[in-house]
């Protein structure tokens, strides 16, 4: 997995966690859902990249 893609995926995870935490603090359910979705997106992309690396070598 390239460093850029890995950093971007981790960025999605961190940003999603921040949105989820902020949503909880503010009582904003919509922001919480967006945060969880963004985290899931980052984790899914990271898993896909790891799978590609496994089959590449």
């Amino acid at each position: 997995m390239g460093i850029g893609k890995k950093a971007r995926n981790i960025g999605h995870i961190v940003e999603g966690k921040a949105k989820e935490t902020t949503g909880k603090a503010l009582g904003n359910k919509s922001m919480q859902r967006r945060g969880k979705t963004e985290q899931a997106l980052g984790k899914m992309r990271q898993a896909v990249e790891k799978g590609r690396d496994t089959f590449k070598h």
Side-chain angles (χ1 to χ4, degrees):
M1 176 181 338
I3 297 292
K5 288 184 180 180
K6 184 174 184 178
R8 190 174 325 131
N9 294 337
I10 291 173
H12 281 291
I13 295 168
V14 170
E15 187 176 345
K17 187 66 176 172
K19 283 182 184 179
E20 181 184 4
T21 304
T22 303
K24 282 182 183 178
L26 297 175
N28 188 336
K29 298 285 185 187
S30 176
M31 186 178 276
Q32 279 181 293
R33 282 192 304 268
R34 283 192 306 247
K36 285 183 180 184
T37 302
E38 194 159 348
Q39 285 180 63
L41 178 68
K43 288 178 182 178
M44 186 259 323
R45 286 182 178 173
Q46 195 167 15
V48 167
E49 289 298 321
K50 284 183 182 179
R52 284 183 184 164
D53 285 345
T54 300
F55 290 113
K56 222 180 211 183
H57 301 295

